[in-house]
Amino acid sequence: MARGLRVIAGTAGGLRLVAPKNARPSTDRAKESLFASLGPGPVDDAVVLDLYAGSGAFGIEAISRGAARAVFVDRDRHALDAIRTNLETTGFADQARVHSSSVAAFLRQPAPEAPFDLVFCDPPYDAPTADIEQELAVLADVRWLAPDATVVVECRASSRPALPADWRVGRELAHGDTLLVVATV
C-alpha cells in the first residue's frame, strides 16, 4: 500500500487505496487542490475516463464526490489489480469498468461509454511527449467528449504536452515538479 494514498472526500472519504508497484501516485495534496479547483460542477453525475489509471485514484475520487460512473484504462497488470482492489474497497465496482489496454489502443476502438464529461490523463513522466499529444488529439474527437467536457492532464512541469488547439486552459496547478493542466473542450 502506498503511504498516505487515500480517497480525500465524499462517500468513500478517508478510505486507504493501494498503488501498483513502481507507480508514481498523485499526492493527496495535488488531488485535493485539483478537486477544490474543479468544484462540484464537472464532477456531479459525470461520466469519467481515467487514462493511465495506475491506482485509479482520480476516477475513484470523482465517484466518491458524485460522478455517475468511471472507465479506467491501464495496461500494467499490477495497476489493473490495484484498480480492482480499490474499487472493491470503496464499494464502487458497480459504477466502474476497467479496460486492460494501452491508451493508444483504447482510443482506436469505438468509444465505449462515451461521451465523457471528465477525463484524467496521467501518463508516466517518461512517456514521449509526442505520443501524449497524439493521444490527446484523438481524444479531442467529438465522439469521445461531451460538450464542455473537462480534461485534466498531469505531467512533469518541465515537459507539458501541447493541448489540442480548441481546448481552453482554465488553470494550471503546480505541485513540486508536477503540473496539473485543467482544460475545457
Side-chain angles (χ1 to χ4, degrees), residues 56-126:
F58 278 127
I60 288 170
E61 187 74 35
I63 295 172
S64 183
R65 291 172 183 249
R69 64 186 188 278
V71 174
F72 299 86
V73 180
D74 209 301
R75 68 178 176 192
D76 180 80
R77 179 179 56 87
H78 300 292
L80 296 166
D81 290 344
I83 294 164
R84 289 184 181 106
T85 297
N86 291 333
L87 289 169
E88 289 300 323
T89 298
T90 57
F92 297 149
D94 290 344
Q95 292 173 263
R97 192 168 195 150
V98 180
H99 289 270
S100 175
S101 172
S102 71
V103 169
F106 177 81
L107 292 174
R108 284 194 300 267
Q109 303 174 37
E113 292 97 8
F116 294 99
D117 304 297
L118 178 59
V119 178
F120 299 101
C121 182
D122 183 10
Y125 281 180
D126 62 354

Side-chain angles (χ1 to χ4, degrees), residues 10-48:
T11 59
L15 291 179
R16 298 271 176 210
L17 302 175
V18 298
K21 291 181 186 178
N22 302 320
R24 175 198 41 82
S26 300
T27 66
D28 284 354
R29 189 173 138 225
K31 282 191 305 187
E32 191 166 17
S33 172
L34 171 65
F35 279 91
S37 76
L38 288 176
V43 179
D44 285 344
D45 294 319
V47 179
V48 176

Side-chain angles (χ1 to χ4, degrees), residues 62 74 134 139 143-144 180:
D74 209 301
Q134 175 139 9
L139 186 63
R143 67 189 173 105
W144 286 102
L180 293 163

